[in-house]
């Protein structure tokens, strides 16, 4: 049985997003070793509210010497610097992908990003701000990834497969996070913190080679696609999945309440997810007193669950839609409530679990895993509302949604004066509040209907024919 090209594209996109997250998250693990553990403002070393995990001793852990003597604000600036570039370039990246095709746009940007990842250790050793600049540039070139893949489904995904295909691709974020957390601790312990940047940069270069061989912008351009699959995709998508020659309706997009419902839900989801993947290794190491290898293993389990939930929830959502049990918008709203309200509750409870490691880990697992219910929830709604402009809408959404990438670590740095459990509870309460508030507009104004501004004004007769 021949593998369908649209699923090859989804797997290629999955691996691309996985590599994006390898290079995005590697610093969250490496920085624990780069900085070591230092004295807090009250004169102690690692705080002794919790005993060292696996020991009954409540003695303070000896200070670990790191290579870099940065304070919490500098640490937060370095961790968040990636998101300055990533956020700023979302809309331009979506425009580039639409203009030049997602194949070349994603492929060439990943080539440059791979090289930036490989040279990061040399740059940050020369100067902290050279390291920050390289991470800003890395974020800029990675910004093309999600707009490219979201826009790709406007040409490749039949309507009742959109959530499924998009879910496979987007699950690369969870896969990349869980794999890097699982492996990074051991790799850094054996080979030094620099090695994780060389490894992730090299893997991205390998992916680029495969991407250019297997992927094409449209079914019509693909030289190896089965004619039956090509004709099926073209027939199912029709004119709504193809970009019109008319200009992008920016004003209508930017004043659409359903679009802003997607944007705010996406932003809330990212706030919680970025806070977790940037700060969880530090919480497990400094508060629950785990070593780096165990921290990596337990952090990775959160994202194994997230990966599984993303794929399974996306398939179940499309199955429910195909059976007509409930409307598309209602299943998307239910998914959004699970992904934001339930996870907000779980992360707050994790803070109140204190030194009870099994309970805290279970709650962190649920927080990370259930967050990806937003993928078949609010994060896929642009595929219903505006398939022809899904990449552009996603670019707008991802611009706002990645502001938490640099705001959240700076805010955490301000809250964590001594890295105590009460301070961490404040961090988690903020995350919960953002989740709930950010979901409200989508729950009230979210839509699954093709928007008037997303219809091809130059093809009215064909549209009317398709409706009938």
């Amino acid at each position: 049985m021949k593998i369908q090209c649209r699923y090859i594209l989804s797997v290629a996109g999955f691996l691309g997003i996985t590599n994006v997250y390898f290079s995005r998250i590697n610093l969250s693990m490496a920085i624990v070793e780069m900085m070591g553990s230092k004295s807090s403002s009250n004169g102690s070393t690692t705080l002794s509210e919790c005993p060292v995990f696996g020991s009954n001793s409540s003695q303070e852990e000896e200070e670990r010497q790191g290579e870099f003597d940065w304070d919490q604000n500098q640490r937060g600036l370095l961790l968040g610097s990636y998101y300055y570039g990533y956020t700023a370039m979302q809309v331009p990246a979506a425009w580039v992908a639409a203009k030049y095709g997602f194949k070349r746009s994603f492929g060439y940007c990943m080539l440059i990003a791979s090289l930036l990842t490989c040279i990061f250790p040399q740059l940050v050793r020369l100067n902290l701000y050279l390291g920050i600049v390289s991470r800003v540039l890395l974020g800029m070139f990675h910004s093309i990834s999600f707009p490219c893949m979201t826009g790709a489904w406007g040409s490749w995904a039949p309507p009742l497969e959109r959530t499924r295909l998009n879910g496979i691709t987007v699950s690369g974020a969870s896969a990349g996070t869980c794999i890097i957390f699982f492996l990074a601790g051991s790799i850094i312990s054996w080979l030094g913190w620099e090695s994780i940047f060389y490894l992730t940069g090299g893997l991205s270069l390998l992916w680029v080679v495969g991407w250019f061989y297997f992927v094409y912008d449209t079914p019509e351009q693909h030289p190896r696609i089965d004619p039956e699959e090509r004709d099926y995709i073209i027939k199912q998508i029709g004119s709504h999945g193809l970009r019109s020659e008319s200009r992008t309706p920016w004003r209508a997009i930017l004043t659409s309440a359903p679009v802003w419902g997607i944007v705010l839900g996406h932003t809330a989801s990212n706030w919680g997810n970025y806070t977790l993947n940037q700060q969880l290794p530090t919480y497990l190491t400094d508060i629950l007193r785990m070593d780096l290898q165990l921290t990596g293993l337990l952090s990775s389990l959160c994202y194994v669950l997230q990966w599984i939930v993303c794929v399974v929830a996306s398939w179940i959502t499309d199955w429910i839609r195909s059976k007509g049990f409930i409307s598309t918008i209602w299943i998307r709203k239910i998914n959004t409530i699970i992904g934001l309200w339930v996870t907000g509750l779980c992360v707050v409870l994790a803070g109140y679990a204190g030194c009870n490691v099994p309970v805290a880990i279970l709650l962190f697992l649920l927080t990370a895993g259930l967050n990806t219910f937003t993928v078949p929830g609010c994060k896929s709604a642009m595929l219903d509302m505006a398939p022809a402009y899904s990449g552009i809408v996603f670019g707008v959404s991802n611009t706002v949604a990645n502001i938490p990438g640099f705001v959240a670590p700076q805010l955490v740095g301000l809250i964590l004066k001594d890295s105590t459990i009460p301070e961490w509870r404040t961090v988690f309460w903020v995350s919960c509040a953002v989740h709930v508030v950010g979901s409200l507009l989508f729950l009230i104004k979210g839509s699954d209907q093709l928007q008037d501004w997303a219809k091809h004004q130059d093809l009215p007769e064909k549209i009317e024919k398709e409706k009938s």
Side-chain angles (χ1 to χ4, degrees):
M1 181 178 178
K2 189 172 182 179
I3 300 175
Q4 294 173 323
C5 287
R6 61 188 183 276
Y7 284 93
I8 293 175
L9 173 60
S10 70
V11 172
F14 163 84
L15 293 173
I17 300 298
T18 298
N19 276 283
V20 166
Y21 272 73
F22 282 170
S23 296
R24 178 189 294 192
I25 303 298
N26 53 17
L27 182 60
S28 296
M29 286 297 292
I31 203 167
V32 177
E33 191 70 17
M34 292 164 73
M35 292 182 63
S37 63
K38 299 178 175 62
S39 297
S40 67
S41 63
N42 63 16
S44 68
T45 57
T46 302
L47 297 175
S48 56
E49 292 182 72
C50 296
V52 176
F53 182 69
S55 169
N56 292 323
S57 172
S58 61
Q59 296 299 311
E60 293 180 350
E61 184 181 1
E62 292 184 3
E63 182 174 341
R64 299 191 320 274
Q65 187 63 43
E67 183 174 340
F68 301 97
D69 187 25
W70 300 323
D71 60 31
Q72 284 293 331
N73 289 330
Q74 290 172 316
R75 172 186 176 276
L77 181 60
L78 181 59
L79 282 173
S81 58
Y82 173 97
Y83 296 93
Y84 286 101
Y86 189 79
T87 301
M89 292 301 293
Q90 284 297 309
V91 173
W95 179 85
V96 168
K99 174 113 178 135
Y100 297 103
F102 68 85
K103 174 180 178 176
R104 286 184 295 169
S105 301
F106 198 4
Y108 287 129
C109 285
M110 283 294 284
L111 175 62
I112 298 170
S114 303
L115 300 176
L116 285 168
T117 301
C118 289
I119 65 173
F120 173 79
Q122 286 74 33
L123 293 175
V124 79
R125 276 184 168 135
L126 287 173
N127 185 274
L128 168 63
Y129 294 98
L130 283 177
I132 288 171
V133 169
S134 73
R135 293 291 291 185
V136 171
L137 291 172
L138 180 67
M140 291 174 66
F141 286 105
H142 275 173
S143 66
I144 202 79
S145 55
F146 282 98
C148 275
M149 292 312 305
T150 305
W153 300 127
S155 298
W156 276 95
L160 289 178
E161 296 180 35
R162 285 173 185 159
T163 309
R164 184 185 319 164
L165 290 165
N166 190 52
I168 292 171
T169 300
V170 173
S171 71
S174 305
T177 304
C178 79
I179 293 169
I180 198 68
F181 275 146
F182 180 73
L183 295 178
S186 297
I187 292 170
I188 291 169
S189 296
W190 296 336
L191 302 174
W193 64 264
E194 313 95 319
S195 60
I196 200 64
F197 296 96
Y198 303 142
L199 175 62
T200 52
L203 289 173
S204 291
L205 286 172
L206 287 176
W207 175 85
V208 169
V209 175
W211 175 260
F212 278 114
Y213 178 76
F214 286 108
V215 169
Y216 290 84
D217 286 313
T218 66
E220 295 94 329
Q221 294 176 7
H222 203 303
R224 296 181 295 274
I225 191 172
D226 187 284
E228 184 178 347
E229 182 188 5
R230 180 192 61 215
D231 295 342
Y232 171 74
I233 292 171
I234 294 171
K235 179 181 178 181
Q236 289 295 311
I237 291 177
S239 65
H240 299 311
L242 302 174
R243 286 291 302 274
S244 169
E245 294 301 318
S246 59
R247 289 185 294 180
T248 300
W250 288 109
R251 182 176 180 181
I253 291 171
L254 295 176
T255 56
S256 168
V259 166
W260 281 102
I262 294 170
V263 171
L264 295 179
H266 190 172
T267 302
S269 173
N270 279 9
W271 183 287
N273 210 32
Y274 289 167
T275 298
L276 203 62
N277 63 37
Q278 289 173 349
Q279 308 300 334
L280 185 58
T282 300
Y283 186 85
L284 296 181
T285 302
D286 289 356
I287 299 299
L288 300 185
R289 311 283 293 282
M290 299 178 180
D291 64 39
L292 189 58
Q293 293 185 48
L294 185 56
T295 290
L297 174 62
L298 291 175
S299 298
S300 73
L301 289 178
C302 293
Y303 295 93
V304 169
L305 181 59
Q306 191 176 85
W307 181 5
I308 293 169
V309 168
C310 184
V311 175
V312 173
S314 296
W315 279 74
I316 291 174
T317 296
D318 271 352
W319 178 77
I320 290 172
R321 293 172 64 217
S322 68
K323 297 295 184 181
F325 294 142
I326 57 176
S327 67
T328 295
I329 189 58
W330 274 108
I331 188 61
R332 297 218 187 281
K333 289 181 178 180
I334 291 169
N335 288 341
T336 299
I337 289 172
I338 296 171
L340 293 177
W341 290 38
V342 175
T343 56
L345 175 63
C346 287
V347 77
V348 167
L349 293 176
Y352 286 94
C355 300
N356 190 328
V357 174
V359 173
I361 293 300
L362 174 62
L363 290 165
F364 283 131
L365 281 167
L366 292 172
T367 301
L370 298 180
N371 182 283
T372 46
F373 265 93
T374 58
V375 172
C378 58
K379 291 182 182 178
S380 289
M382 70 281 292
L383 296 170
D384 308 319
M385 294 164 42
Y389 297 101
S390 56
I392 296 291
V393 174
F394 189 88
V396 172
S397 179
N398 220 23
T399 298
V400 180
N402 278 282
I403 292 174
F406 55 84
V407 173
Q410 291 291 303
L411 180 60
V412 170
L414 293 173
I415 294 171
L416 298 180
K417 301 299 183 183
D418 294 315
S419 196
T420 61
I421 289 178
E423 290 173 350
W424 278 100
R425 286 174 183 162
T426 302
V427 171
F428 298 148
W429 269 112
V430 169
S431 187
C432 177
V434 171
H435 273 206
V436 173
V437 173
S439 70
L440 296 178
L441 184 58
F442 181 77
L443 296 178
I444 296 169
K445 300 292 289 186
S447 174
D448 61 349
Q449 299 301 303
L450 182 67
Q451 303 296 290
D452 289 339
W453 48 263
K455 298 173 182 176
H456 296 312
Q457 301 302 319
D458 52 339
L459 295 171
E461 293 181 2
K462 189 172 182 180
I463 293 175
E464 291 302 319
K465 184 178 178 181
E466 288 178 359
K467 286 182 177 179
S468 61

